[in-house]
């Protein structure tokens, strides 16, 4: 009795699927160049095709274009890049960065945060513009840790869009630098705040900004 019901159910299922099989066959036939019934019914009202998709060209309104890679411009750093793992190294980079910001000139700072133990890196380029702000781009790559992909031979950097950020200078920073104490330190990963999106800058645009002061 149970076998009879199984066979009967299979026959009913096959009968129910028959119209869909026929419809799929018609769609496949139409994809080979024959006009489908739906296309024939639309006639002159058919969608014009790619010409009507101008609003989504270039990846769509909600998809930003890939950022211009300022790391590839080859700008020379004003202070040695600071690498932060268990501590900041080399330590002399932080007072160098502090004096650059205090002097009100322009320059380029770099930082790399790499807490590890896996590949967990965030690198920043900070173009100090001499007016209390900086043009900033970051790139990061993460792999090998639980929940991320396995590391390949060359993990890919993901670039951020360009941003303008404010530089935080504490009231006691100038006095600390004059006295040459440990408090004479500008932290490229912590004293850069209030970042907001800005238009993309080509290498020559950034060079012009640095030369403006």
């Amino acid at each position: 009795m149970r076998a009879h019901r199984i066979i009967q159910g299979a026959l009913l299922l096959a009968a129910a699927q028959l119209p869909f099989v026929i419809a799929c066959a018609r769609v496949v036939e139409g994809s080979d160049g024959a006009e489908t019934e739906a296309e024939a019914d639309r006639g002159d009202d058919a969608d014009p095709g790619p010409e009507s998709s101008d609003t989504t060209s270039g990846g769509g309104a909600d998809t930003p274009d890939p950022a211009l890679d300022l790391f590839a411009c080859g700008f020379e750093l004003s202070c040695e890049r600071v690498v932060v793992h268990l501590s900041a190294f080399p330590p002399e980079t932080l007072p160098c960065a502090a004096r650059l910001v205090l002097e009100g000139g322009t320059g380029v700072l770099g930082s790399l945060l790499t807490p590890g133990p896996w590949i967990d890196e965030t690198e920043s380029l900070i173009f100090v513009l001499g007016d209390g702000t900086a043009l900033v781009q970051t790139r990061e790559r993460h792999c090998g840790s639980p929940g991320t992909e396995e590391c390949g031979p060359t993990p890919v950097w993901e670039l951020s869009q360009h941003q303008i950020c404010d530089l935080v200078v504490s009231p006691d920073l100038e006095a600390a630098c004059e006295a040459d104490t440990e408090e004479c330190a500008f932290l490229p990963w912590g004293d850069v705040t209030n970042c907001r999106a800005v238009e993309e800058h080509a290498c020559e645009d950034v060079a012009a900004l640095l030369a403006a002061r």
Side-chain angles (χ1 to χ4, degrees):
M1 184 67 178
R2 184 178 179 183
H4 175 73
R5 288 181 178 178
I6 293 175
I7 294 173
Q8 184 179 23
L11 292 174
L12 291 174
L13 180 61
Q17 291 178 336
L18 184 59
F20 297 101
V21 173
I22 295 173
C24 290
R26 288 178 177 174
V27 171
V28 172
E29 180 183 0
S31 66
D32 291 336
E35 186 181 48
T36 63
E37 292 179 2
E39 290 170 338
D41 292 338
R42 285 199 302 267
D44 294 337
D45 294 331
D47 181 65
E51 294 182 359
S52 64
S53 304
D54 291 342
T55 57
T56 60
S57 61
D62 297 331
T63 304
D65 293 332
L68 295 175
D69 185 2
L70 297 180
F71 290 88
C73 296
F75 286 101
E76 183 177 354
L77 297 180
S78 304
C79 303
E80 189 173 350
R81 184 184 69 169
V82 60
V83 178
V84 183
H85 181 52
L86 298 178
S87 60
F89 182 85
E92 58 268 20
T93 293
L94 303 184
C96 175
R99 292 186 172 93
L100 171 65
V101 173
L102 286 172
E103 289 171 359
T106 61
V108 186
L109 301 175
S111 69
L112 175 64
L113 305 181
T114 174
W118 305 278
I119 294 181
D120 183 14
E121 300 177 335
T122 301
E123 186 174 9
S124 297
L125 270 181
I126 302 162
F127 299 92
V128 179
L129 302 181
D131 60 356
T133 67
L135 174 67
V136 179
Q137 184 176 43
T138 62
R139 63 180 182 179
E140 53 187 292
R141 55 185 179 181
H142 311 278
C143 66
S145 62
T148 65
E149 63 183 17
E150 293 296 324
C151 294
T154 53
V156 178
W157 287 103
E158 294 185 7
L159 286 168
S160 76
Q161 300 294 310
H162 299 182
Q163 296 180 310
I164 287 290
C165 305
D166 295 329
L167 303 181
V168 177
V169 179
S170 68
D172 300 326
L173 184 61
E174 186 172 0
C177 291
E178 288 179 354
D180 199 22
T181 65
E182 291 183 355
E183 285 71 30
C184 178
F186 180 84
L187 311 180
W189 64 92
D191 292 335
V192 179
T193 187
N194 192 28
C195 297
R196 54 271 188 199
V198 71
E199 69 277 2
E200 297 291 293
H201 290 67
C203 299
E204 55 270 22
D205 298 331
V206 179
L209 289 174
L210 296 176
R213 293 177 65 91

